[in-house]
Amino acid sequence: MVAGSTVPRVASYSSTTGSHEGTIGFIGLGQMGYNMAKHLYSKSQAPFVVFDMNSSVVSQFKDENSSGTTSSAQAPITAASSPADVARQASVIVTVLPESAHVKDVYLGSEGIIRGIRPNALCIDSSTIDTSVSIDVSQQVIGAGARAVDAPISGGIMGAKAGTLTFMVGSQNADDYEKAKVHLQQMGKNVVHCGDLGAGQAAKICNNLLLAISMVGTAEAMNLGIRLGLDPRVLASIINTSSGRCWSSDTANPVPNVIESAPSTNGYNGGFKSRLMLKDLGLVSNAAKESRTPLMLGALAENIYRHISNQGEMADKDFSVVYEWLAGRN
C-alpha cells in the first residue's frame, strides 16, 4: 500500500434497510483472529457476524466493540450459531483457524460455511494449513458458486494488535484478489498477491521455515555470547547493527529483558506458541516431501521444536522459549 493512501472502506451499514449486503462474517477469535477482527470491524463500518466455539470470547468481542468507542459503533455485531449461520448472513467471510482439520470442518462440515454460502460471497481463509487442503477447500467453495482466496498471515500477535500484518494471498484470478485486498488492508500493512490458489500458503510456510531457523540461530548465538561473558543487551545491539540482524534478534529477541516488548520479557507469554511452530514445521516437512525438496536446517529446527513441545508448559510458550531450552543444556 502506498504511504499516505486511504484504506478502502466497504459499504456502511444502513439501519433503515437492515440488508445483509456488505455484512462481514468472522470465524475464529483466537489470539490472532480477535485482534484482526477488531481492526476489521472498526475500520470497515460494516455490520459484523461472528462465530467461535468459545461463546465467552464472542460475548467479550461484542462487549468491547459495541461500547461506542469505535467509528463503526452504529453497525451491529451478531453472534452466529454456526459457520453455516455466518455464511447465510455475510457477503464476506474471514476465517482464522488453528489447523487443517478445523478449516475442513468449518468450511465443509455438516454445519459448515458451504451449507449456507451465498452466491458470489467471498471467503478469505487466513489460517496456516496444508497447501493441498487449502486448494481443495477453496475449489469446493468456488464450486458452490462463491469466491475463495487463501491469505495466511505473517507478523504474529504483535502485528495483529498493531494492524501491521503481512498477508500472502493466493487467488483464482486478479478480481478475487482485489476484492479481498480491500478487507485485508484494514487488518494489515502489506498485502501481496503470490499467485494461484494455494500460493499464499506456500509463501507462508517458506517464511515460517526461515523464521524457525533464525530463532534457533539467534537463541544459540545469544546463549554462546552470554556464556562467554557478554552482556546480552550489548551483544544484541551488535547483532542488530551487523550482518546477523533479523526479526528474531531485533524484534522478538529470545533473551528476557533485551527487548521490553518481546514475549521473552513477558515470561514467553503472548506470542506464537512453540507447538504451533512445530505444526507449521510439519506443514513444511509435508510440502518438502511432496516436492522432493531437501531440508537440512529445517529438519533440525523441527526436531528441536518437537523436543520443546514435549516439555510440558513450554509447548504453550512463545517459540522464542528455545533460548530457555538451550540455556538449560550443557
Side-chain angles (χ1 to χ4, degrees), residues 136-322:
D136 178 61
V137 169
S138 292
Q139 288 177 338
Q140 292 202 49
V141 169
I142 292 168
R147 300 168 180 244
V149 302
D150 51 286
I153 317 150
S154 179
I157 294 172
M158 291 184 285
K161 288 180 178 178
T164 57
L165 295 170
T166 292
F167 291 92
M168 294 150 276
V169 185
S171 67
Q172 183 175 243
N173 53 59
D175 186 52
D176 289 352
Y177 165 71
E178 292 296 335
K179 289 181 183 300
K181 184 178 179 181
V182 171
H183 307 283
L184 296 174
Q185 284 181 323
Q186 293 168 343
M187 298 182 283
K189 183 179 180 181
N190 302 300
V191 183
V192 182
H193 191 207
C194 300
D196 205 349
L197 294 173
Q201 295 291 348
K204 173 60 188 291
I205 62 173
C206 291
N207 178 78
N208 275 23
L209 166 63
L210 183 56
L211 176 61
I213 293 168
S214 68
M215 182 59 79
V216 172
T218 300
E220 196 165 74
M222 293 297 296
N223 187 46
L224 175 61
I226 290 168
R227 290 192 183 190
L228 292 175
L230 291 171
D231 181 290
R233 288 178 179 267
V234 172
L235 177 56
S237 70
I238 292 169
I239 291 172
N240 292 333
T241 54
S242 303
S243 55
R245 182 180 183 178
C246 60
W247 185 89
S248 296
S249 68
D250 70 6
T251 301
N253 195 286
V255 179
N257 302 312
V258 169
I259 296 176
E260 292 304 314
S261 60
S264 59
T265 304
N266 187 36
Y268 297 100
N269 294 311
F272 185 55
K273 294 179 180 180
S274 294
R275 60 179 174 82
L276 295 180
M277 177 56 82
L278 177 62
K279 183 266 292 186
D280 284 3
L281 289 170
L283 299 178
V284 169
S285 180
N286 291 341
K289 289 174 184 175
E290 290 175 2
S291 61
R292 299 178 63 84
T293 303
L295 289 180
M296 304 300 181
L297 296 180
L300 287 173
E302 183 180 13
N303 190 44
I304 288 170
Y305 279 103
R306 182 174 292 108
H307 280 289
I308 291 172
S309 296
N310 288 330
Q311 298 295 311
E313 67 174 17
M314 276 193 178
D316 287 318
K317 295 292 187 179
D318 179 73
F319 76 110
S320 61
V321 78
V322 64

